[in-house]
Amino acid sequence: MKNFYITTPIYYVNDKPHLGTAYCTIMCDVLARYHKLFGDKTFFLTGTDEHGQKVQQAAEKRGLSPQEHCDELAENFKQAWKNLNINYDVFFRTTADFHKTAVRAALQQLFDQDLIYADTYEGWYSVSEEIFYTEKDLIDGKSPTGKEVQKISEKNYFFKMSQFQQPLIDYIQAHPEFIQPEYRKNEILGFLKQPLSDLCISRPKSRLSWGVELPFDKDYVTYVWFDALLNYATAVGYQQEQRAAEFSEWWGSKDSQVTHVIGKDILTTHAVYWPTMLMALKVPLPKVIFGHGWILNKDNAKMSKSSGDVLNPLDIKDLIGVDGLRYFLVRDIHFGNDAPFSFEGVIQKVNNDLANNIGNLLSRTTNLIGKYFEGKAPGNKDLTLSASLQKTALQCCEDVKNHIEKLEPSYAAESVVKLLNDCNKFLEDTAPWKTAKEDLTSAGEVLHIALEVLRISAILLQPVMPEKMSILLDRLSVTERDFSSAKKWHGISAGTPIEKSEPLFPRVELPKS
Ligand code: MSP
């Protein structure tokens, strides 16, 4: 048993949740639910990043205080996640007082360790990314990701990040699972071949007042990324004496497995700034930083608010249901890769895998049990008939666990789909709808097997489709829904009520535009 602590990035509060941000949140929710299913102690964090220039400017425009502005916008995220059945343990907001106090304590510690110094900063700043760039970073006068930059020259405070370049390289090399997938690790090692500069961690209040005031200079606030990254640790008690036990449980203990899931565009801040900050603060590094790919628009570019082509996940949900959307994202995108999104693709997947596969198996099985067995589960005595599917089902449980632990949720779902396919094929071969008329016992044997496969598959797919799988298990009167019960065959005894009802996954048609 582990203490599995998983985090999404905390989203900029100004942006509305969209399919891109929903993607990461859904994936973390699925992973957290799987770890709970396996019996791990699990903690799932998401939240909003609320300081910085963009927020200050947007609040000013609306004639609101930045805090009022943030309070209102954070609700958009909470509401969206509620609609997508996201079961987080904490919704973290960087404007929480305990967080600000903890950030100041961390800064003071670095200052006392002589790891922060004042200097004049001259360079370029991208407001939209809240990131400093040097002249050599710019491409055609813009940031490497194509954002507008402005020239800046001012006194600021710097964290001696450069001192930690070699220790970070050594750490990455000694811990191959630290940055995943492997190609992202190689990107970071490539980046670290260039000398690492120190990190500017302040903003003068004359230019930006919406931030955490530096403990050693009241004319400055903390750079938003420095404040935001610390959220992962302060959320579980870091720099809070009264929460020390909690912090060591989630962060420091040998059982704790801190897993940060982020998009590939924020890899450097997470895989370079964050670990060097932790090294300097003498805090253990997270176990895994996983950089996923992007949901792409129809032009194969990142779907983003600034390009104006974001899809509202709730519109897709209205078409295929929350669980359909969750299933599609888990099953269709290999975690780590970029993926184009289209309504045609999503509908095809949902019809193939859900309506035609699991949905069809459920309707066939429950209809036949309704028709020939008065809605009661038949028993099973012929173990040779079930041997092959029983073996596949057990293997499927192992595969799901292994794939989830290796952060390969698409393969986990695939192995359940394979089990369901095998069972549908078994039904085709044995045709209980024909045999029932002459030999009710052998039709019952077959249907018992189908019920078992449905039960096991539904338990294994609960993290992906919590609502639909709960309905399915209700229809089969299954009460034990934990991982160990999935590993046992014969979970549905003879005579158990089996409900026949309307299709669990009705086929979806593309709306006419
Ligand atoms: N506030 C920072 C994160 C601080 S974490 C200490 C931030 N916020 S963000 O709102 O701009 O982006 C958050 C996440 O959304 C990133 O991981 C980013 O990759 C992800 N996505 C935004 N658009 C996306 C897609 N089109 N596809 C997949 N993920 C995308 O950065």
Side-chain angles (χ1 to χ4, degrees), residues 7-10 24 28 180 184 225 229 232 259-271 289-293 335:
T7 65
T8 71
I10 47 170
C24 185
C28 287
Q180 295 186 40
R184 305 255 184 258
W225 268 102
L229 286 162
Y232 300 130
T259 301
H260 298 313
V261 179
I262 54 161
K264 62 181 184 177
D265 48 326
I266 53 173
L267 189 64
T268 315
T269 47
H270 281 79
I289 297 169
F290 187 96
H292 64 71
F335 204 30

Side-chain angles (χ1 to χ4, degrees), residues 8-16 18-25 47-50 54 77 94 128-130 224-232 261-267 269-270 274 292-297 301-305 309-310 338-339:
T8 71
I10 47 170
Y11 302 107
Y12 287 130
V13 74
N14 265 354
D15 294 348
K16 280 214 178 82
H18 60 77
L19 187 62
T21 41
Y23 174 59
C24 185
T25 316
T48 39
D49 186 353
E50 304 192 350
K54 274 193 290 184
F77 283 87
T94 51
S128 69
E129 296 167 293
E130 309 270 13
V224 65
W225 268 102
F226 190 93
D227 147 22
L229 286 162
L230 275 165
N231 94 87
Y232 300 130
V261 179
I262 54 161
K264 62 181 184 177
D265 48 326
I266 53 173
L267 189 64
T269 47
H270 281 79
W274 181 224
H292 64 71
W294 288 334
I295 305 282
L296 306 176
N297 61 21
K302 180 185 174 203
M303 195 180 273
S304 72
K305 193 185 124 197
D309 55 9
V310 287
D338 286 346

Side-chain angles (χ1 to χ4, degrees), residues 386-439:
S386 66
S388 158
L389 275 167
Q390 189 177 348
K391 201 168 142 222
T392 314
L394 194 64
Q395 184 60 45
C396 180
C397 294
E398 297 306 320
D399 290 347
V400 166
K401 188 154 193 275
N402 286 338
H403 286 308
I404 292 299
E405 282 173 353
K406 285 176 17 204
L407 292 160
E408 298 169 339
S410 64
Y411 293 158
E414 187 181 21
S415 68
V416 185
V417 170
K418 184 180 169 303
L419 171 66
L420 290 160
N421 278 337
D422 287 359
C423 190
N424 266 320
K425 169 133 196 331
F426 169 71
L427 238 57
E428 290 294 331
D429 294 345
T430 49
W433 44 88
K434 284 192 198 146
T435 54
K437 288 171 199 136
E438 303 106 45
D439 181 356

